[in-house]
Amino acid sequence: MNLARRSAVNGRFPWGDYVALSYTWGNTDETSEIVVNGKPVKVRPNLECALRVLREKGPIRAGMKVWIDALCLNQMDTNEKNAQVPRMREIYQRALNVVVWLGPENPLLWHSQIDCEQGSLQNCWEGMRSLMLTQYWKRVWIVQELA
């Protein structure tokens, strides 16, 4: 996963650069607690998993910021959400990159990728089908985030 085209230190903004995370929120009944800027915050397990993977990436370790809707927008403040949702296109366009999180590693997709490389067309197509059937592609915002 290539997160940065420029270094985090020499960003386009005085405070550095950022990538935007595109992901599914996941189960609304489950939450995990993480620490953001020294304060505990409840997030859904899919975001916690994505953050655990992202924090190990070189650009993030070097200071690259990550814009995440669930953390950067006050989800409990309707006025803030109404003001910020129209800016989502701009937020994703101005991001250095958009990082797509499809969820924890899926062994079927991994083995299908290997089979594609080795010529097993049936397994390759099964893997692609499995990828395209993930919840990620059913999201309303997908086109805006990836465009």
Side-chain angles (χ1 to χ4, degrees):
M1 156 181 346
N2 183 5
L3 295 180
R5 293 184 296 246
R6 297 182 187 108
S7 82
V9 177
N10 299 324
R12 299 166 297 158
F13 306 103
W15 42 265
D17 245 315
Y18 73 99
V19 295
L21 181 64
S22 177
Y23 68 107
T24 59
W25 279 27
N27 187 340
T28 58
D29 297 332
E30 296 179 45
T31 60
S32 301
E33 191 170 273
I34 63 171
V35 177
V36 177
N37 295 330
K39 297 181 183 177
V41 177
K42 291 189 185 250
V43 297
R44 295 184 186 152
N46 195 41
L47 177 54
E48 178 191 17
C49 188
L51 290 170
R52 289 186 184 283
V53 171
L54 281 173
R55 75 179 175 187
E56 300 303 320
K57 301 299 178 185
I60 304 303
R61 294 177 75 78
M64 177 71 68
K65 314 288 189 280
V66 182
W67 187 91
I68 303 167
D69 58 355
L71 299 177
C72 295
L73 301 178
N74 182 352
Q75 301 298 322
M76 305 310 267
D77 184 337
T78 303
N79 290 331
E80 179 176 337
K81 285 196 312 187
N82 288 342
Q84 295 300 317
V85 166
R87 296 190 60 228
M88 297 286 275
R89 178 178 178 192
E90 174 190 354
I91 290 166
Y92 279 90
Q93 279 183 333
R94 295 185 76 184
L96 188 61
N97 281 318
V98 175
V99 176
V100 175
W101 175 255
L102 297 175
E105 192 173 310
N106 180 335
L108 175 61
L109 296 178
W110 173 253
H111 292 299
S112 297
Q113 179 182 2
I114 292 170
D115 288 337
C116 286
E117 292 170 0
Q118 296 175 354
S120 175
L121 191 56
Q122 179 63 35
N123 286 340
C124 181
W125 283 115
E126 287 175 17
M128 290 300 291
R129 181 178 183 277
S130 177
L131 172 66
M132 297 313 291
L133 290 175
T134 64
Q135 290 296 313
Y136 179 81
W137 304 106
K138 296 176 182 173
R139 298 170 50 247
V140 173
W141 298 105
I142 185 70
V143 173
Q144 178 174 302
E145 290 173 8
L146 294 180

